[in-house]
Amino acid sequence: MTDDENKARIPPKQLRIVGAVAGVGSGLTKVTVGHAFDTVKTRLQVTPGEYRGAVDCFWRIVRNEGPLALYKGATPPAVGWAAIDSVLLGSLHNYRLHLRQYTVFNEPNPSDPNARQLSLLGHGFAGLGAGLTSAFIATPIELVKVKLQMQQEALKSERQFKNPIDCVRQVVRVQGVQGLWKGLAGSLAFRANFFWMFMSIEALMRASTRLENTPFEMSEGIANFVCGGLGSCAYWVAAIPADNVKNRVFGSPLEASTSVREVVKTIYTTSGMKGFYRGLGLSIVRAVPSNACAYFVYETLLRTMGAERTRT
């Protein structure tokens, strides 16, 4: 079915919300698959030198705090990632539709001489716009998640923050409402790298079509799974420095006036450039399966709901 036929078949309002609905499924999938890895990564980034590595961190959490401690702070992302990915992927769908209207971001469709398709650069800028848009809702959610993850007390009664709501209440009391957006600059820098992720995914999806009629031919769903996982590698290689910075800001004590600039200076002074890449290996180990599953769910839901296609 052509894009024009899809436009005629799907009401305009539905075209604008299907990405957001599919994003909810993507966000819940990410939390289910990847939160335990994220807890270990966050501990390594925020308290450098405390653990000998990812394996040591994992076993110490399990031994001292119990296996469920790996899912500390899971409530904010369970709710939050559904909201974040709803905004991220909902806006991505709309940015793709919008950018495809401009010649500078579209190109001839090789499979249909009479049609145009969004270029790789267009997919990148759609990802950039979606990442920056989602940063404003992601910042307070990730701030609460990090503060909960950093609590090492096994007994809930000994922890500073009893639950996500208590954490929000304490942040607002000490820093004001604006404290929930402390580290926004780092979050914007971090999420701007969705430029590389969605451009990479589209490039890989196009490459996968060249496998047709070969022993390695993949269905569209399998290609979504594989390319979503591989595309996340490009994202994390580019984004991990900003991730280290924003997590240090998020994990700082409530009374501290830690800024993004101060954290950048501290990391460089104490660890050099390698300090900005702390947690990269673990991030990729976590991101490949979680993003493979999440992107598969997102694209499958778009197809199921009959969304207008934004990629070839």
Side-chain angles (χ1 to χ4, degrees), residues 18-19 25 72 76 81 89 124 134 136 138 177 181 191 193 197 210-211 214 221 244 248 257 291 304 307 310:
V18 287
K72 280 182 178 178
W81 273 110
L89 298 175
S134 65
F136 292 93
V177 175
W181 279 269
R191 301 184 76 81
N193 290 287
M197 178 170 173
R210 302 191 187 103
L211 300 176
T214 74
N244 270 282
R248 289 273 195 108
S257 58
N291 281 280
T304 301
T310 55

Side-chain angles (χ1 to χ4, degrees), residues 166-180 254:
D166 179 55
C167 182
V168 171
R169 185 183 298 116
Q170 291 192 48
V171 170
V172 172
R173 186 180 67 247
V174 176
Q175 301 176 350
V177 175
Q178 67 271 21
L180 294 171
L254 292 181

Side-chain angles (χ1 to χ4, degrees), residues 56-302:
D56 176 54
C57 181
F58 173 85
W59 284 117
R60 284 173 62 180
I61 291 174
V62 172
R63 184 175 62 250
N64 298 333
E65 305 168 46
L68 291 180
L70 293 167
Y71 282 85
K72 280 182 178 178
T75 302
V79 177
W81 273 110
I84 293 170
D85 270 23
S86 179
V87 174
L88 173 70
L89 298 175
S91 60
L92 175 73
H93 185 67
N94 282 277
Y95 285 135
R96 282 172 168 175
L97 292 174
H98 181 71
L99 291 175
R100 195 173 61 178
Q101 299 176 26
Y102 299 96
T103 304
V104 68
F105 289 117
N106 68 41
E107 59 191 13
N109 186 331
S111 62
D112 184 354
N114 299 316
R116 308 283 292 182
Q117 66 180 12
L118 186 62
S119 66
L120 288 178
L121 188 62
H123 280 279
F125 275 103
L128 172 64
L132 296 178
T133 301
S134 65
F136 292 93
I137 187 173
T139 299
I141 293 170
E142 291 188 343
L143 181 143
V144 172
K145 173 185 72 71
V146 169
K147 289 190 180 302
L148 293 176
Q149 285 176 318
M150 291 310 300
Q151 298 189 119
Q152 300 183 27
E153 297 81 7
L155 297 177
K156 289 186 178 181
S157 60
E158 298 176 354
R159 298 173 189 170
Q160 179 181 4
F161 308 112
K162 308 307 179 187
N163 52 54
I165 295 176
D166 179 55
C167 182
V168 171
R169 185 183 298 116
Q170 291 192 48
V171 170
V172 172
R173 186 180 67 247
V174 176
Q175 301 176 350
V177 175
Q178 67 271 21
L180 294 171
W181 279 269
K182 183 179 180 180
L184 175 62
S187 188
L188 287 167
F190 171 67
R191 301 184 76 81
N193 290 287
F194 279 111
F195 175 95
W196 306 108
M197 178 170 173
F198 288 110
M199 185 167 67
S200 298
I201 288 176
E202 178 62 17
L204 291 165
M205 287 295 296
R206 294 184 185 187
S208 72
T209 63
R210 302 191 187 103
L211 300 176
E212 292 180 3
N213 302 317
T214 74
F216 304 102
E217 181 176 355
M218 295 182 283
S219 66
E220 187 169 10
I222 296 299
N224 292 152
F225 181 86
V226 173
C227 297
L230 294 177
S232 67
C233 295
Y235 174 81
W236 277 104
V237 168
I240 193 66
D243 186 53
N244 270 282
V245 172
K246 76 174 179 62
N247 283 346
R248 289 273 195 108
V249 176
F250 290 164
S252 62
L254 292 181
E255 296 76 14
S257 58
T258 310
S259 68
V260 169
R261 179 178 296 180
E262 291 171 350
V263 170
V264 170
K265 183 178 179 180
T266 299
I267 293 176
Y268 185 75
T269 301
T270 58
S271 306
M273 287 302 298
K274 68 179 182 180
F276 292 101
Y277 288 86
R278 183 175 284 111
L280 175 59
L282 188 61
S283 295
I284 291 176
V285 169
R286 175 189 67 109
V288 170
S290 63
N291 281 280
C293 294
Y295 196 71
F296 169 79
V297 169
Y298 170 66
E299 289 285 356
T300 299
L301 288 173
L302 285 181

